[in-house]
Amino acid sequence: MKKFFTVLFSLSFLSFLLHANPSVAADLIAAGPAGKIHGADVSRWQHPNGKAINFKKMRSAGMDFVMIKASDTREESDRIALKYVKQDRKGAQAAGIHTGFYHFALLPNTTSQVAIERDAKAQAQKVIGRLATLGAYNDMDLPYALDLEVNCIQWSSNGTCLKSASREHATLWSKVFLKTLREETGRTPLIYSSPHFLENSLIRDEELLQYPLWIAHYAIDPALPESKPNVKPGGCFVHSWTSAECAANWTLWQYSSCGIAPKYGVPGSRLDLNVFSGDHLEFDSLRKGEWVPKTINPMPRGEKSKITITSVKAYTHDKNAFIALEVKRPDDTPVVTGAVKFQFTSAHTEKPVVEQKVVRENNGSFKLTLSGLPAGTWSGKVSFKDASGTHSAAYAPVDLTIVQGESTTTATPAPRPVEKPKTDSCRNQIKN
């Protein structure tokens, strides 16, 4: 009996710690772009060769918060995360910087709803255990975030994805994880992801909108008044947090992965930079776990769309064919999302393998480039589909007549090895 009451007391005390509701936040500098509350996020990669972060320098450079990787689905990565979150949280808070945490999640390789829910709850409990290890939330902590940016559930030996979770299963897992974490900790967790992932890997869901969004979208300067994340050429990404005005209802915005690390006391050359969407009071409500979502007018569902073919250019079999088109909404404004594709009709029993490239231009205009069409008349259609479910599918017939080009008997030279061009992952990014 004594052991029972000891366990009961321990659980009650842990619950009290997790549900602690701090009252006063530390002073905020709000020295980010356009006077926004500025923050960073760090993990093992900001500790090359085990070097420590100088959080006093980070604070003096204007940082008000730092999101720290605290847990991971993978055991080895989780062990490393625990090592650094302890020292980073202590160092950041001692320097007057608020700390939040994030859990990097991988989804389970299963199609069983019961198994998906069980895995989500297990990973949420892993986070709750990590909070207990850290001594629970304190006055300087922001809530935990779910880092969901990978939907692959089966990998090959060389690291390529063989199988991805369905949108339905990824959404179910996310909702169960977030709900469990909110109920057990008393604070509303965030969800971190890119707009592309949110649009293409999750279903639009009203329940997801009840969690603050930490959106990752680079090469857009938050210092400019008209700048906002979630935009793309000719429209925007549509997901649970997208409004009818084509804007994302975001709370944190990771606007660069190329911050000048030494400026903020971080070893290495790069640092993720973030801004908070609101003011001091809104920041405080997020910290306390009192955050509530803003009311937005959502994007429509299944809205009718129509395709207009504006030009078709077809030449010889050794040249590309081009199809230009526009896809519009019922009010003649351009669609804001979706993709197009050329498809052969069933009249062709043997369909050639054709390479397709699509360029989405402004104002809902698309340009299809087809290469590899042999000589002949090819009947097909251009299809428009929207994975987000905002716009309905649409089709337009199109015929392409390809003539035989000049033949040549010149021997084809052996291909030279092509060196992959060096890419600069920080090109066009904001380097604050």
Side-chain angles (χ1 to χ4, degrees):
M1 182 65 72
K2 182 178 180 181
K3 182 178 181 181
F4 169 78
F5 281 112
T6 301
V7 172
L8 182 61
F9 172 80
S10 298
L11 291 174
S12 299
F13 183 66
L14 174 60
S15 177
F16 167 77
L17 288 175
L18 290 176
H19 288 80
N21 188 24
S23 57
V24 180
D27 292 337
L28 297 174
I29 302 173
K36 292 180 172 66
I37 295 171
H38 209 200
D41 58 272
V42 299
S43 67
R44 62 187 290 186
W45 306 113
Q46 279 65 56
H47 294 276
N49 299 317
K51 293 180 180 179
I53 296 173
N54 184 342
F55 286 103
K56 290 184 178 179
K57 186 173 183 180
M58 181 181 287
R59 179 62 171 168
S60 65
M63 288 297 188
D64 282 312
F65 68 93
V66 59
M67 302 296 289
I68 308 168
K69 181 176 180 179
S71 51
D72 195 298
T73 304
R74 303 158 297 182
E75 291 307 316
E76 177 61 16
S77 296
D78 186 69
R79 182 189 65 79
I80 296 172
L82 175 59
K83 171 185 175 181
Y84 287 113
V85 68
K86 287 182 175 180
Q87 67 183 60
D88 286 348
R89 183 202 198 198
K90 180 179 180 180
Q93 292 189 0
I97 300 174
H98 290 84
T99 56
F101 314 102
Y102 68 91
H103 173 77
F104 181 83
L106 292 176
L107 303 175
N109 185 7
T110 179
T111 58
S112 165
Q113 179 172 328
V114 173
I116 290 169
E117 292 181 358
R118 183 170 58 244
D119 183 86
K121 290 178 181 178
Q123 291 202 46
Q125 290 299 328
K126 189 174 192 176
V127 167
I128 293 164
R130 183 55 42 84
L131 279 172
T133 301
L134 295 173
Y137 286 129
N138 63 32
D139 290 5
M140 292 290 290
D141 285 327
L142 295 171
Y144 232 102
L146 164 63
D147 178 352
L148 188 62
E149 49 188 302
V150 178
N151 66 348
C152 186
I153 56 177
Q154 185 177 344
W155 307 83
S156 69
S157 57
N158 63 2
T160 58
C161 184
L162 300 175
K163 180 181 178 183
S164 296
S166 69
R167 295 161 62 90
E168 292 79 8
H169 290 161
T171 303
L172 171 63
W173 189 97
S174 302
K175 292 198 297 183
V176 172
F177 177 94
L178 293 165
K179 182 180 180 182
T180 303
L181 198 54
R182 179 168 61 183
E183 290 177 347
E184 294 292 330
T185 65
R187 294 196 191 185
T188 302
L190 300 93
I191 180 170
Y192 166 91
S193 198
S194 70
H196 182 273
F197 184 93
L198 295 172
E199 180 179 85
N200 292 281
S201 301
L202 298 180
I203 295 173
R204 289 173 57 191
D205 190 283
E206 291 185 4
E207 185 176 332
L208 287 179
L209 182 58
Q210 305 310 305
Y211 298 95
L213 173 63
W214 178 11
I215 192 169
H217 199 168
Y218 308 147
I220 302 173
D221 191 348
L224 302 177
E226 69 278 8
S227 292
K228 59 181 181 180
N230 207 55
V231 297
K232 60 182 175 182
C236 62
F237 294 92
V238 180
H239 44 75
S240 301
W241 293 266
T242 307
S243 71
E245 294 74 33
C246 219
N249 188 23
W250 60 276
T251 300
L252 296 183
W253 173 10
Q254 187 186 77
Y255 68 90
S256 179
S257 66
C258 297
I260 306 169
K263 172 181 174 180
Y264 302 99
V266 176
S269 59
R270 295 173 55 170
L271 178 68
D272 293 341
L273 301 177
N274 304 267
V275 288
F276 178 71
S277 63
D279 58 20
H280 292 56
L281 292 177
E282 289 169 308
F283 185 87
D284 211 39
S285 69
L286 177 68
R287 180 187 62 85
K288 292 179 180 179
E290 299 171 354
W291 180 92
V292 292
K294 296 177 182 177
T295 302
I296 64 170
N297 295 318
M299 277 285 183
R301 295 179 183 270
E303 180 185 74
K304 289 186 177 180
S305 50
K306 55 185 178 181
I307 295 179
T308 301
I309 305 293
T310 57
S311 72
V312 177
K313 296 179 181 180
Y315 306 100
T316 56
H317 81 283
D318 52 351
K319 294 183 179 180
N320 295 334
F322 304 94
I323 304 172
L325 61 139
E326 292 181 347
V327 188
K328 293 188 175 182
R329 306 171 76 173
D331 61 358
D332 272 343
T333 59
V335 293
V336 297
T337 190
V340 298
K341 183 180 181 180
F342 174 79
Q343 297 172 297
F344 293 100
T345 64
S346 57
H348 300 289
T349 54
E350 293 186 9
K351 302 175 177 64
V353 177
V354 178
E355 181 181 349
Q356 302 191 38
K357 293 183 179 179
V358 182
V359 175
R360 184 188 178 98
E361 300 174 334
N362 289 327
N363 304 319
S365 299
F366 297 84
K367 186 176 182 180
L368 260 170
T369 301
L370 309 178
S371 57
L373 274 171
T377 298
W378 303 98
S379 297
K381 61 182 179 181
V382 175
S383 64
F384 167 79
K385 292 185 178 179
D386 171 23
S388 75
T390 301
H391 309 295
S392 64
Y395 306 90
V398 62
D399 292 329
L400 297 165
T401 299
I402 309 295
V403 299
Q404 186 69 30
E406 294 183 5
S407 299
T408 176
T409 57
T410 305
T412 303
R416 293 183 179 181
V418 178
E419 293 185 6
K420 291 184 179 181
K422 294 181 180 179
T423 58
D424 179 7
S425 58
C426 284
R427 184 180 180 185
N428 298 325
Q429 284 208 44
I430 309 303
K431 301 178 179 66
N432 283 345

